[in-house]
Amino acid sequence: MRDKIHFGFLFAGLATLVSASFQDNIRGPLLPVLCEQLGLPFSYGGLFLTIGNIAAVISTLAMGRALLRYSEKKVTIYICIFSAFSGIAAPFVDSLTGLLLLGLVLGASVALMGSICNILTLKGSPVHLRGRLLSIQQVMYGVGSFLGPMSFAWFYTAEYPWWTSISIVSALNVLIGLAVANVVPEEAPEPHEAKDKKSGFSWSILVPIGLFSIYVSGEVITSMWMPTYFVEVSGFSKVEASKMTSYFFLVISGSRFLSFLFIRPHWERAVMVISMLTGITFIVLGLTVLPSALPFAGLLGPFFPLFMASVSHAYPKMWKSLTIWIFASIQSSLAVIHLCIGSLTDLIGIEKAFFLSPVLIAISFVMLLIFFKQHNTEHHHPA
C-alpha cells in the first residue's frame, strides 16, 4: 500500500472517468432523438442500452482477467484505443442494426473506462485518503456527465450531426491513452488475490455487490431517462430536457467536490445516509409535485465514492477483484433495468415507470444499514 499520493495514477483515474461519464450520459439525450429519427418505439431504446450493458459485463470480466497478466498502464492504454471506435461507428447508424452495434461499442467502452478509473485511483491513493480522493475523482464523473448532455444540446441546436460529440470524445480517448503512456508507471501485476486464503470468498461480499447493483440501477434510471421524462411528461423540448439533465450532474459534481473538501473518515457513514435520503426525497418530489426538483436528486453524489472507499477498507486483501465483480454486477443489473424501463415506458408511460428509481434506491438504503451492521468497526481507519 502507498503512503502518499501517486499523481500519475490519480490523473489517469480522473481522465478515464471523465471520458466514461461523457459517453455514458450522452446516451440519455440521444434516446428520444434516435428513436424519432429511426422510427423506433422506446422499447428499442431500452434494447440499445441493454445491448451495451451485456457488452459491458463481458468486457469488464475480460478486463479482470487481463489485469492478472498485464499492468494497469497497459490495460488502460488498450482500453483508450478501443474506446475510440464508437466515434468511428456512430456516423454510420441508419438502422436498428447500426443502433445496436453502436450500443454494443459504447457500452463496452463506458464499462471499461468506468471500471479501470476506480482501480487507478485506488492504486494511487493511501488508505486514509481514499474516501476524499474517490470523491474528487467522482467530481470528474459529474463534469463529464454535465458536458455530455450539454454538448449534445449545443451541437443539436447548431444543427450538427447527432454523433458529433461522440466522435470528438473518441478522439480525446486516443490522447488520454498517450498521456497514460507517459505519466503512469509500469508496475508488475499483483499476485492473484484468490491465492490468499484469508481473502477467500465470504457470503458477506454479496451485500456490497448487491447494494451497488441496485443503487446504481436506481441512479441511472434517474439520469438516463430524465430527458425522456421531461420531454414526454413535462413537455420540455429536447434541448431543455438535456439542459435539465446537465443540472442533475452539476449537483452531483458539486456535492462530491464538497465531500472532497470537508468530509473526514468519521463523518463518512452519516454523509452516505443523508445523501441517500435526500436523493430519494427529491426524486419523489420531482415526480409528484415539482418536476424542476428532479435535478436536485444529484445530492446522491457523495454516496458512490464514499461507499466504494468503505468497501476497500472492509476488504483490504481483495479490493481489486471485488471492484471488478461490483462493476460486472452493476452492468448486469443495468441490462435488465434498461430493458424493463423501455418496455414499461411503452406499456404504462415514463411517468409511472420512473417510480422504479426511488424504490430501488430505498432498497439499497436498507442494504447499506445491513453493511454497516456487518462492518461496525471498519471505519476506524486513520483520519
Side-chain angles (χ1 to χ4, degrees):
M1 292 186 182
R2 300 183 190 276
D3 57 4
K4 61 181 181 179
I5 299 171
H6 190 290
F7 288 99
F9 279 109
L10 185 60
F11 164 79
L14 297 176
T16 50
L17 184 56
V18 170
S19 173
S21 59
F22 187 103
Q23 295 176 86
D24 188 18
N25 292 290
I26 201 172
R27 293 183 295 177
L30 278 177
L31 277 178
V33 173
L34 288 176
C35 287
E36 179 182 313
Q37 288 190 1
L38 300 177
L40 300 172
F42 286 118
S43 57
Y44 283 108
L47 183 60
F48 163 73
L49 298 173
T50 297
I51 288 291
N53 291 126
I54 293 172
V57 173
I58 296 171
S59 60
T60 301
L61 294 176
M63 185 189 75
R65 299 295 298 176
L67 286 169
L68 299 177
R69 300 183 58 186
Y70 304 106
S71 67
E72 288 88 356
K73 177 178 181 176
K74 286 182 179 177
V75 172
T76 304
I77 292 171
Y78 293 145
I79 288 172
C80 290
I81 294 171
F82 172 80
S83 297
F85 282 97
S86 58
I88 298 173
F92 299 98
V93 173
D94 58 3
S95 64
L96 176 60
T97 301
L99 177 66
L100 297 183
L101 177 62
L102 176 63
L104 186 138
V105 176
L106 266 178
S109 174
V110 167
L112 290 169
M113 287 282 206
S115 300
I116 198 66
C117 71
N118 288 279
I119 290 173
L120 291 167
T121 300
L122 287 168
K123 186 73 181 283
S125 304
V127 173
H128 67 286
L129 290 178
R130 282 181 175 175
R132 295 178 68 190
L133 290 176
L134 282 170
S135 291
I136 193 63
Q137 180 213 42
Q138 292 293 325
V139 170
M140 296 298 103
Y141 176 87
V143 170
S145 301
F146 175 80
L147 291 175
M150 190 61 76
S151 68
F152 172 79
W154 189 89
F155 285 120
Y156 190 79
T157 302
E159 298 184 352
Y160 282 83
W162 60 265
W163 43 262
T164 302
S165 294
I166 297 176
S167 295
I168 291 173
V169 78
S170 294
L172 291 176
N173 286 336
V174 176
L175 297 180
I176 292 173
L178 293 173
V180 168
N182 286 282
V183 302
V184 175
E186 184 71 43
E187 296 184 354
E190 297 174 4
H192 189 15
E193 294 159 328
K195 293 179 181 178
D196 186 347
K197 293 181 180 180
K198 292 182 180 179
S199 64
F201 177 82
S202 169
W203 287 105
S204 67
I205 68 173
L206 296 180
V207 174
I209 290 174
L211 192 160
F212 267 119
S213 300
I214 295 170
Y215 166 78
V216 172
S217 295
E219 184 189 298
V220 168
I221 289 173
T222 304
S223 62
M224 194 72 71
W225 290 87
M226 189 182 294
T228 302
Y229 180 88
F230 281 132
V231 170
E232 296 295 314
V233 179
S234 302
F236 288 16
S237 70
K238 296 181 179 67
V239 171
E240 290 171 333
S242 292
K243 289 181 178 178
M244 291 293 285
T245 305
S246 292
Y247 299 148
F248 169 79
F249 292 113
L250 190 62
V251 175
I252 280 185
S253 182
S255 62
R256 286 172 175 171
F257 185 66
L258 291 174
S259 292
F260 166 70
L261 291 178
F262 300 115
I263 297 304
R264 297 297 180 265
H266 57 283
W267 298 347
E268 289 179 1
R269 291 191 171 190
V271 172
M272 283 188 271
V273 168
I274 292 170
S275 68
M276 292 191 81
L277 293 178
T278 305
I280 293 170
T281 300
F282 277 108
I283 295 172
V284 173
L285 184 63
L287 295 179
T288 56
V289 180
L290 187 65
S292 59
L294 267 179
F296 290 97
L299 291 171
L300 286 163
F303 172 75
F304 187 96
L306 294 180
F307 189 63
M308 181 64 74
S310 294
V311 170
S312 74
H313 299 316
Y315 302 96
K317 295 182 180 295
M318 57 184 303
W319 67 266
K320 188 183 292 186
S321 60
L322 186 53
T323 299
I324 296 296
W325 281 106
I326 284 171
F327 278 89
S329 67
I330 285 172
Q331 297 300 332
S332 299
S333 64
L334 289 179
V336 176
I337 286 297
H338 285 313
L339 199 58
C340 290
I341 287 293
S343 299
L344 280 174
T345 298
D346 286 333
L347 186 64
I348 63 176
I350 189 64
E351 185 175 10
K352 294 179 181 178
F354 210 107
F355 275 97
L356 186 57
S357 170
V359 170
L360 291 173
I361 297 174
I363 293 171
S364 64
F365 177 73
V366 174
M367 297 182 72
L368 177 66
L369 300 181
I370 294 173
F371 178 85
F372 286 164
K373 186 175 182 179
Q374 288 179 337
H375 304 279
N376 56 12
T377 62
E378 295 295 340
H379 66 305
H380 295 303
H381 42 274

